[in-house]
Amino acid sequence: GNHLGKDMYQRVCTTPGTAISWSLWHRGRDGIDEAVVKIGPDLANMIVVGTMTTANTAWQNYTGTYTVPVGQYDTYFMLEAVSTSSARQGKGNFVDHVVLTETNGGSGGSCDPPPIKICYPSCGENATIGFEDLWPRLGDYDFNDLVISYNIELILNAQNNVTRMDYSYTVESVGAAFTNGYGVELEGVSPSAISSVTGSNLTEGFIVNDANGTEQGQRNAVIVFFDNADIHVGIPNTISIEFSSPITTAALGAAPFNPFLIKNADRNTEIHLPTKPVTSYPTLPIGSDDDMDGDFKDADGLPWAINFSGQYAPPLPGVKIWIGYNHFLNWAHSGGVQYPNWFVNDPGNRNNNFL
């Protein structure tokens, strides 16, 4: 038997989602003693899973179960003395034969490391993508027609291959009169490489998906996140993409991949980042008005979609983006070489009265 003073604990390695069966024997020392069993992810966040109240006349067995939450690879098991009948200082409860067992779905208590994560732009920080939806004309060029704040998280296995992508986003601004949608193409990734897509919000009836959640009839995997931005403003959501087999980061490509706006519920009209290709669907001729060669930038380098490494404040409706941002034209005309941080809220960059 072991003497239980105030408390003692053991850190054990567990498999998320499994059930732990615990068992131990308890006895009072000089009379009726009380102790509790606590389990949790760390010492600061433990819950009581069992209370033991036992006299000193016989040992008593106490048992219970605990389900390991998702993502919890370390689990702490604590025995804490609540009261003792002993008048002798430093004396307390007796405990013996403590046993912990993973009872289902586990790996026999082996310690699997937590999954490896890669985030874009970084874990805990969002990037932003903004669109001007009057392409192929510049139009009002206020760049507030669709603004999305997002973070991309790749889950890797022990071989550093991607098993899942979680694309968390919030529609920050919808300044358009059009009904616009948003999707992402994974260039070079076959639709069959995706086992499932969850989280898409499709309400308008013009997107047709295969059973795995990728868009039907595409040469590459295309995931349409939503088809009507108006009803999603300010509502955080996550698109989870599971891969049929782990894929290398090189095969997956670089974030943010190939995001695009679907213009005014017309599946044949997409607006992309500069020089990015359209998916298999658009059949209308591209390259007219201000975008003469169809590369989603005009002759002076002005784009219709911009990916920002941080936060972006869109201009007021009808206010051209270069009125709100003093260095935008220098940045665009230089091909992104000059003033790469033109959108950051630093002195001299913004005219906040127009944003």
Side-chain angles (χ1 to χ4, degrees):
N2 296 306
H3 165 253
L4 176 60
K6 175 56 179 171
D7 53 48
M8 60 183 180
Y9 67 89
Q10 176 71 45
R11 174 177 174 259
V12 294
C13 195
T14 51
T15 305
T18 64
I20 294 177
S21 174
W22 59 267
S23 173
L24 73 154
W25 292 79
H26 178 254
R27 198 195 83 184
R29 177 179 289 272
D30 296 325
I32 297 176
D33 291 349
E34 182 178 344
V36 293
V37 180
K38 291 183 174 181
I39 302 181
D42 51 55
L43 296 179
N45 295 282
M46 309 191 81
I47 61 172
V48 175
V49 297
T51 299
M52 305 177 293
T53 304
T54 317
N56 65 338
T57 55
W59 288 90
Q60 184 170 335
N61 183 221
Y62 293 87
T63 63
T65 59
Y66 171 84
T67 300
V68 181
V70 173
Q72 183 172 308
Y73 291 84
D74 286 331
T75 299
Y76 286 76
F77 181 86
M78 175 183 283
L79 303 177
E80 181 178 304
V82 175
S83 64
T84 176
S85 59
S86 177
R88 290 177 290 174
Q89 186 176 4
K91 302 299 181 180
N93 299 209
F94 282 125
V95 293
D96 199 3
H97 197 53
V98 179
V99 178
L100 300 177
T101 307
E102 285 190 344
T103 59
N104 68 285
S107 53
S110 65
C111 190
D112 296 327
I116 304 166
K117 297 180 181 180
I118 298 177
C119 303
Y120 177 86
S122 64
C123 294
E125 181 182 0
N126 281 5
T128 308
I129 188 165
F131 292 92
E132 171 54 58
D133 69 359
L134 291 181
W135 177 89
R137 296 178 293 107
L138 290 179
D140 58 15
Y141 210 67
D142 53 12
F143 248 95
N144 64 11
D145 297 322
L146 180 61
V147 178
I148 297 174
S149 175
Y150 69 93
N151 182 276
I152 299 172
E153 183 177 276
L154 304 180
I155 309 301
L156 279 60
N157 62 13
Q159 290 72 45
N160 290 322
N161 293 327
V162 182
T163 61
R164 189 179 82 241
M165 177 194 301
D166 289 336
Y167 194 121
S168 300
Y169 71 91
T170 302
V171 177
E172 301 287 352
S173 173
V174 177
F178 294 153
T179 300
N180 293 325
Y182 179 77
V184 172
E185 179 185 35
L186 304 179
E187 298 175 87
V189 177
S190 169
S192 64
I194 308 298
S195 62
S196 67
V197 176
T198 57
S200 297
N201 287 298
L202 305 177
T203 58
E204 306 308 301
F206 66 90
I207 301 297
V208 180
N209 285 340
D210 285 325
N212 66 351
T214 63
E215 190 173 26
Q216 194 174 89
Q218 292 281 8
R219 62 180 179 270
N220 295 321
V222 173
I223 297 94
V224 179
F225 289 25
F226 54 82
D227 51 12
N228 185 351
D230 292 336
I231 62 178
H232 300 298
V233 178
I235 304 173
N237 190 37
T238 298
I239 303 291
S240 290
I241 303 166
E242 298 278 353
F243 293 91
S244 304
S245 299
I247 184 173
T248 65
T249 54
L252 183 58
F257 311 109
N258 188 11
F260 60 93
L261 178 147
I262 301 171
K263 180 177 176 178
N264 203 24
D266 178 4
R267 192 60 195 89
N268 290 322
T269 306
E270 298 175 356
I271 301 173
H272 289 251
L273 292 167
T275 73
K276 280 292 192 178
V278 296
T279 73
S280 301
Y281 271 34
T283 57
L284 300 177
I286 62 173
S288 60
D289 294 343
D290 294 307
D291 185 7
M292 297 303 298
D293 54 5
D295 63 352
F296 297 105
K297 60 181 180 178
D298 78 351
D300 294 321
L302 300 185
W304 278 264
I306 304 173
N307 185 60
F308 304 86
S309 57
Q311 298 298 307
Y312 158 71
L316 297 172
V319 175
K320 287 181 167 51
I321 191 171
W322 58 75
I323 301 299
Y325 290 93
N326 295 321
H327 304 301
F328 171 80
L329 290 176
N330 300 91
W331 169 79
H333 293 165
S334 69
V337 175
Q338 297 180 16
Y339 298 100
N341 294 321
W342 59 271
F343 59 92
V344 176
N345 192 19
D346 287 341
N349 280 0
R350 294 179 174 184
N351 295 312
N352 289 312
N353 289 338
F354 296 100
L355 305 177

